[in-house]
């Protein structure tokens, strides 16, 4: 592909920036009550629109990189925009003290975290950090989606029933009712799958709750750092990136504090274990379907693989034993030959000494 | 304090870099890795034994076998022309072999640690010994491959002349070992019984979760800074390729490694048996060179340093590298320090 289309895109982007500048000026005027309200997030939204256009033009091999970049940088731009708005609003009013200025920055981060633009919900505040700020639960959801054999929609449907603990959940009670009749076994297996799904949902909630605590802690640390800056006991960041890096440091600090606690390790392991339980039950059902169609099941393949593996090991063991025993035979043969040679030498020596003795009458 | 016009300028510059970066990305082409030429001298199922072509007229007489981890691909040791531990070793006159474990599939699900250590590794060592008509060779184990090398050296000390371990976990229960803390709560039986082989994506999730803010966010924001430079972009993408090029783990070997090492810490607590043979670090009496990274977040320094306390060798040399788990292969400092240090240490013990 020639780079011409990309140069065109670049100029398109430059033009768009000019428009953003105009929009931002409008925003400034709006702060003084002189213009109609513009788009909520012109940079980030514009970037998103632009990146969607470019996705189709990007070579297939690099599309994943581009998407990752676009996702990350859209969030970064949104952060810049939030700050810009904050500062622009401040600059239009009375000058702020450093303490208030940095308090505003800290507040802007909190707003970012709760921003609907990032799909955050009060239940899952960590979701706001999906792109810019790193996200174990987001990565986990992708992993889960890729590894699950059953439709995501069904899981979402079940999540609707997630209220309180499983023991208090009316749907859980329904799932524990005894199965009856001709299809009793398959009913029971389906019930088990749904029970495992509910447990997985609960584990995911628990994990997200711990992540939420980490976010809160990160805000606290970030707030402390900004207070230090405001009071002059720490150097002031001179760029948007430096503020972002300050936030990353705060996040990692908070995460490191939690990551080794029993609360976190149990929540994380609980999530993985719950997913494995879901998948195991899915496999039992899938094997059942495959068996009905006369197709080889995972269990049968495992049996075959295990037998091949055992046979391979036996063959190797025999080969090694044979090789070892061959060496032993050779060793024995060499030793026997040595003995024979030594014997011959001794005989010859004896004969020679007898021949050299003077003959007497 | 920042001013609004500064922010606008910074974001505009950022946008420009991203836009120009699209041109770079469209022209970057295939991301290749592994630069030093080699011959495949032995194969067994998916395992390949590579012999690197020498870069000096008369390389050392005792060859060095590199044993890499199962978790990622070994081309990290030979990533690119100016970042290659292997090239550095070849330049120092070391005769280098490397085991490429390959990508296990469902047919390899029942491979155990016994198959890897008493099987593949032992047969590769024996192949090299036969080729060079030597009773012993040198071994360099990296990360999990270092743990395998320790087990091997304990089981077959008569076949190892000198042992080098790099960023190798020995004590899996040091308080700062986050991965180990996480692994201890896992139901690994349920995981392996369910998944068979353990997918690389799952391991990647664990590794990225160690520093999520930096590894899944900041890294990609920082990438914008290099997007206008094709060489730097390609280097970044090469590293990215390595990070996500994670083979699945053979199920039974994974189960044993998690249980015996991460959960039960048997290498130092005792009770470790591989294929019915007892592994004891005190049986490692050959010279040992233990390289660890002071900033390692995957294998904390203390997890490696512990080796000194348990190893039977009277010739034990620790080497602290100032850097991280990845930097030890690819940083500029590593290129200068690691191959030279390894080659010198081996040379001093070549007689």
């Amino acid at each position: 592909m020639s780079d011409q289309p990309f140069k065109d895109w670049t100029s398109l982007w430059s033009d768009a920036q000019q428009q953003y500048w105009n929009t931002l000026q409008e925003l400034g005027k709006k702060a003084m009550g002189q213009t109609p309200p513009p788009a909520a997030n012109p940079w980030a939204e514009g970037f998103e629109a632009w990146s969607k256009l470019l996705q189709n033009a990007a070579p297939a091999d690099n599309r994943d990189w581009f998407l990752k970049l676009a996702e990350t940088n859209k969030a970064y731009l949104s952060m810049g925009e939030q700050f810009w708005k904050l500062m622009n609003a401040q600059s239009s009013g009375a000058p702020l003290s450093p303490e208030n200025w940095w308090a505003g920055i800290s507040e802007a981060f909190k707003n970012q975290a709760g921003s609907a633009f990032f799909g955050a919900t009060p239940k899952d505040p960590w979701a706001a950090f999906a792109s810019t700020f790193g996200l174990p639960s987001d990565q986990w959801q992708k992993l889960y989606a890729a590894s699950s054999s059953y439709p995501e929609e069904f899981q979402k449907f079940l999540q609707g029933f997630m209220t309180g603990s499983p023991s208090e959940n009316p749907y859980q009670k329904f799932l524990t009712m005894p199965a009856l009749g001709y299809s009793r076994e398959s009913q029971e297996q389906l019930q088990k799958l749904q029970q495992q799904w509910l447990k997985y949902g609960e584990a995911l909630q628990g994990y997200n709750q711990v992540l939420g605590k980490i976010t809160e802690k990160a805000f606290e640390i970030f707030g402390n750092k900004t207070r230090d800056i405001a009071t002059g006991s720490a150097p002031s960041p001179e760029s948007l990136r430096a503020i972002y890096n300050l936030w990353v440091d705060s996040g990692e600090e908070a995460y490191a504090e939690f990551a080794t606690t029993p609360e976190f390790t149990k929540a994380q392991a609980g999530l993985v274990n719950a997913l494995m339980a879901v998948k195991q039950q899915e496999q039992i059902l899938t094997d059942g379907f495959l068996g009905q169609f006369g197709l080889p099941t995972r269990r049968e393949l495992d049996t075959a693989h295990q037998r091949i593996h055992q046979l391979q090991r036996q063959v190797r063991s025999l080969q090694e034993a044979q090789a070892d025993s061959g060496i032993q035979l050779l060793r024995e043969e060499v030793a026997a030959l040595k003995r024979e040679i030594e014997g011959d030498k001794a005989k010859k020596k004896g004969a020679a000494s007898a021949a050299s003795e003077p003959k007497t009458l | 304090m920042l001013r609004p016009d500064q922010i606008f300028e910074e974001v505009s510059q950022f946008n420009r870099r991203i836009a120009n970066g699209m041109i770079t990305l469209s022209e970057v082409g295939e991301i290749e890795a592994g630069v030093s030429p080699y011959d495949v001298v032995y194969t067994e199922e998916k395992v390949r034994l590579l012999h690197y072509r020498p870069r000096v007229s008369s390389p050392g007489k005792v060859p060095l076998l590199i044993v890499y981890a199962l978790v990622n691909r070994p081309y990290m040791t030979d990533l690119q022309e100016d970042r290659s531990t292997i090239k550095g070793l070849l330049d120092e006159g070391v005769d280098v072999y490397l085991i490429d474990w390959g990508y296990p599939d469902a047919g390899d699900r029942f491979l155990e640690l016994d198959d890897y250590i008493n099987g593949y590794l032992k047969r590769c060592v024996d192949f090299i010994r036969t080729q060079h008509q030597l009773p012993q060779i040198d071994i360099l184990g990296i990360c999990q491959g270092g743990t395998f090398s320790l087990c091997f050296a304990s089981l077959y000390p008569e076949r190892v002349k000198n042992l080098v371990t790099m960023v190798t976990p020995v004590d899996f229960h040091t308080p700062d070992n986050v991965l180990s803390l996480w692994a201890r709560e896992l139901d690994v039986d349920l995981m392996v019984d369910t998944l068979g082989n353990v997918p690389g994506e799952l391991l990647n999730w664990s590794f990225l979760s160690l520093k999520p803010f930096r590894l899944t966010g900041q890294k990609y924001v920082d990438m914008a800074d290099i997007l206008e430079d094709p060489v730097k972009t390609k280097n970044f993408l090469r590293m990215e390729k390595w990070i996500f090029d994670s083979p699945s783990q053979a199920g039974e070997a994974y189960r044993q490694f998690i249980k015996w090492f991460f959960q039960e810490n048997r290498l130092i607590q005792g009770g470790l048996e591989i294929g019915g043979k007892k592994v004891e670090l005190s049986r490692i009496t050959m010279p040992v060179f233990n390289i660890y990274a002071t900033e390692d977040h995957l294998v904390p320094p203390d997890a490696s340093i512990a080796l000194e306390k348990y190893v039977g060798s009277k010739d034990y040399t620790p080497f602290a590298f100032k850097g991280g788990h990845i930097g030890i292969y690819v940083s500029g400092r590593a290129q200068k320090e690691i191959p030279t240090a390894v080659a010198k240490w081996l040379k001093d013990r070549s007689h």
Side-chain angles (χ1 to χ4, degrees):
Chain A
M1 181 184 282
S2 92
D3 60 8
Q4 195 52 46
F6 284 100
K7 282 180 179 149
D8 292 337
W9 288 115
T10 309
S11 51
L12 177 65
W13 183 236
S14 303
D15 295 341
Q17 282 194 342
Q18 186 56 49
Q19 285 173 26
Y20 292 152
W21 179 232
N22 297 338
T23 310
L24 290 165
Q25 281 182 318
E26 291 298 312
L27 269 171
K29 286 178 192 166
K30 183 210 160 199
M32 291 179 272
Q34 293 179 2
T35 54
N41 299 287
W43 268 337
E45 286 176 14
F47 183 84
E48 190 180 20
W50 176 79
S51 62
K52 274 183 182 161
L53 284 171
L54 192 58
Q55 267 173 41
N56 300 324
D61 288 349
N62 291 324
R63 203 162 285 160
D64 285 349
W65 299 113
F66 178 75
L67 288 173
K68 178 70 197 167
L69 263 179
E71 188 181 282
T72 305
N73 291 309
K74 184 180 74 183
Y76 183 73
L77 286 172
S78 178
M79 184 187 89
E81 199 157 4
Q82 291 258 0
F83 284 177
W84 194 92
K85 281 181 195 170
L86 174 81
M87 282 179 243
N88 204 38
Q90 286 171 354
S91 66
S92 62
L96 288 174
S97 66
E99 286 84 356
N100 287 341
W101 196 89
W102 281 106
I105 292 285
S106 193
E107 194 57 34
F109 258 100
K110 281 190 184 173
N111 291 339
Q112 174 102 346
S115 163
F117 180 74
F118 290 98
T121 64
K123 278 184 183 175
D124 186 10
W126 193 269
F129 301 92
S131 41
T132 315
F133 307 126
L135 175 64
S137 60
D138 177 59
Q139 304 285 346
W140 176 260
Q141 288 291 20
K142 285 175 189 164
L143 188 73
Y144 173 79
S147 68
S148 181
S149 329
Y150 287 80
E152 196 182 342
E153 289 309 310
F154 191 66
Q155 187 208 345
K156 282 183 185 164
F157 166 76
L158 284 173
Q159 276 177 351
F161 291 95
M162 278 306 302
T163 51
S165 70
S167 57
E168 295 162 359
N169 191 321
Y171 187 58
Q172 174 72 17
K173 283 179 185 159
F174 168 72
L175 289 176
T176 52
M177 283 169 67
L180 297 167
Y182 180 72
S183 60
R184 189 201 164 279
E185 290 304 311
S186 56
Q187 279 177 48
E188 201 171 78
Q189 293 300 342
L190 274 169
Q191 279 181 338
K192 274 187 189 166
L193 176 63
Q194 289 163 42
Q195 284 167 359
Q196 297 298 357
W197 252 327
L198 290 179
K199 283 181 187 164
Y200 170 73
E202 191 193 19
L204 185 61
Q205 271 186 353
Y207 180 62
N208 280 332
Q209 274 168 11
V210 184
L211 292 182
K213 287 183 187 176
I214 295 174
T215 312
E216 276 176 35
K217 184 71 189 173
F219 285 135
E220 189 189 317
I221 294 170
F222 185 73
N224 293 340
K225 284 183 193 291
T226 56
R227 267 192 296 280
D228 288 346
I229 293 165
T231 56
S233 52
S236 176
E238 293 302 324
S239 64
L240 185 63
R241 181 71 66 85
I243 297 175
Y244 166 67
N245 289 342
L246 194 73
W247 163 250
V248 169
D249 290 345
S250 308
E252 288 296 355
E253 216 174 295
Y255 190 79
E257 203 175 294
F258 273 82
T260 52
T261 60
E263 185 184 13
F264 182 87
T265 51
K266 279 184 197 305
Q268 182 168 262
L271 180 70
V272 178
N273 294 341
L275 177 63
M276 293 306 124
V278 168
K279 282 199 65 64
Q280 193 172 59
Q281 192 58 29
E282 283 180 355
Q283 261 174 22
I284 290 168
L285 285 160
T286 307
D287 270 8
F289 296 138
L290 290 170
Q292 282 174 353
F293 287 104
L295 293 168
T297 65
R298 164 73 186 273
R299 210 173 151 181
E300 287 165 359
L301 283 173
D302 277 351
T303 306
H305 288 146
Q306 192 165 22
R307 283 186 188 154
I308 292 167
H309 182 249
Q310 282 167 349
L311 281 170
Q312 254 179 336
R313 293 179 72 146
Q314 281 170 5
V315 168
R316 291 237 166 80
S317 167
L318 286 169
Q319 282 172 336
E320 280 177 15
Q322 198 178 26
D324 287 348
S325 64
I327 288 167
Q328 191 54 38
L329 282 174
L330 285 170
R331 279 185 187 143
E332 285 166 10
E333 200 174 330
V334 168
L337 284 168
K338 273 185 181 170
R339 283 195 297 274
E340 204 173 308
I341 290 166
E342 290 302 319
D344 283 352
K345 276 183 186 170
K347 274 182 196 169
K348 279 179 187 169
K349 204 176 171 183
S353 61
S356 64
E357 277 176 15
K359 287 179 183 173
T360 54
L361 289 173
Chain B
M1 282 198 306
L2 274 173
R3 296 188 314 273
D5 60 317
Q6 269 180 302
I7 289 200
F8 179 76
E9 181 55 35
E10 196 179 334
V11 172
S12 298
Q13 206 176 60
F14 187 80
N15 284 337
R16 193 204 70 228
R17 285 182 183 146
I18 299 276
N20 289 337
M22 294 309 119
I23 298 169
T24 315
L25 281 175
S26 72
E27 291 173 349
V28 80
E30 195 185 338
I31 310 296
E32 70 287 343
V35 288
S36 303
Y38 61 79
D39 299 298
V40 179
V41 291
Y42 174 79
T43 57
E44 188 181 331
E45 290 144 22
K46 295 185 177 71
V47 174
R48 299 185 311 157
L49 179 63
L50 317 183
H51 186 202
Y52 286 89
R53 294 185 187 160
R55 289 171 61 87
V56 296
S57 53
S58 54
K61 287 197 170 59
V62 181
L64 174 74
L65 172 64
I66 298 179
V67 183
Y68 198 76
L70 303 175
V71 177
N72 279 97
R73 300 289 294 142
Y75 58 76
M76 172 52 101
T77 55
D78 189 34
L79 199 64
Q80 61 191 57
E81 202 62 38
D82 57 345
R83 299 184 195 191
S84 166
T85 310
I86 285 177
K87 187 166 166 261
L89 288 168
L90 293 169
D91 284 339
E92 294 283 345
V94 181
D95 190 6
V96 181
Y97 286 82
L98 179 142
I99 300 180
D100 175 358
W101 301 111
Y103 294 85
D105 61 28
D108 303 305
R109 178 234 193 281
F110 292 98
L111 286 176
E112 298 179 12
L113 291 181
D114 180 29
D115 297 294
Y116 279 104
I117 294 167
N118 292 314
Y120 298 134
L121 176 52
K122 179 166 163 269
R123 286 190 284 274
C124 285
V125 170
D126 286 351
F127 176 86
I128 300 168
R129 287 168 61 227
T130 308
Q131 289 292 303
H132 291 259
Q133 296 182 323
L134 288 169
Q136 298 176 311
I137 62 165
D138 295 335
I139 291 182
L140 189 162
I142 296 175
C143 190
Q144 184 192 31
T147 311
F148 281 14
S149 303
L150 287 170
C151 294
F152 183 82
S154 159
L155 294 168
Y156 307 99
E158 72 286 356
R159 294 175 204 219
V160 185
K161 185 171 172 60
N162 297 298
L163 177 64
V164 184
T165 49
M166 256 174 91
V167 288
T168 293
V170 179
D171 181 352
F172 285 74
H173 283 187
T174 54
D176 51 354
N177 194 333
V178 181
L179 273 183
S180 167
L181 277 166
W182 291 354
R184 271 178 254 175
E185 297 288 341
L186 278 184
D187 186 345
V188 70
D189 286 330
L190 174 65
M191 182 182 281
V192 174
D193 291 346
T194 303
L195 298 176
N197 287 345
V198 176
E201 290 82 2
L202 190 58
L203 302 182
N204 274 336
W205 176 72
S206 306
F207 299 145
L208 294 177
S209 296
L210 286 170
K211 287 187 184 288
F213 290 77
R214 289 201 205 294
L215 300 178
T216 64
Q218 189 184 38
K219 190 173 80 169
Y220 297 102
V221 170
D222 288 348
M223 188 188 172
D225 296 342
I226 56 157
L227 267 179
E228 288 173 300
D229 182 331
V231 175
K232 285 182 180 168
T233 300
K234 198 156 188 170
N235 288 350
F236 180 94
L237 295 178
R238 193 176 285 114
M239 182 63 81
E240 195 77 346
K241 172 191 167 85
W242 177 80
I243 289 169
F244 292 100
D245 188 1
S246 310
S248 294
Q249 302 296 295
E252 294 307 317
Y254 182 83
R255 187 201 308 262
Q256 291 172 343
F257 199 75
I258 295 291
K259 270 192 177 179
W260 296 349
F261 292 86
F262 277 100
Q263 295 182 340
E264 296 168 8
N265 205 15
R266 287 193 194 182
L267 193 57
I268 62 164
Q269 297 285 349
L272 179 63
E273 283 187 14
I274 310 275
K277 299 181 175 91
K278 209 169 182 181
V279 175
E280 286 171 333
L281 292 176
S282 59
R283 280 171 52 81
I284 299 176
T285 50
M286 73 288 301
V288 176
F289 190 40
N290 186 18
I291 306 168
Y292 60 93
T294 55
E295 313 299 323
D296 198 330
H297 71 289
L298 284 165
V299 180
D302 284 350
S304 297
I305 292 168
L307 181 59
E308 183 170 13
K309 194 175 160 190
Y310 299 96
V311 81
S313 175
K314 285 176 185 158
D315 181 0
Y316 172 87
T317 316
F319 182 92
F321 172 77
K322 198 177 171 189
H325 194 79
I326 309 297
I328 203 164
Y329 319 108
V330 297
S331 68
R333 181 197 295 270
Q335 309 314 308
K336 285 179 199 150
E337 291 183 10
I338 300 296
T340 317
V342 172
K344 186 182 179 309
W345 185 86
L346 289 175
K347 203 174 174 183
D348 290 347
R349 287 154 184 81
S350 62
H351 301 295

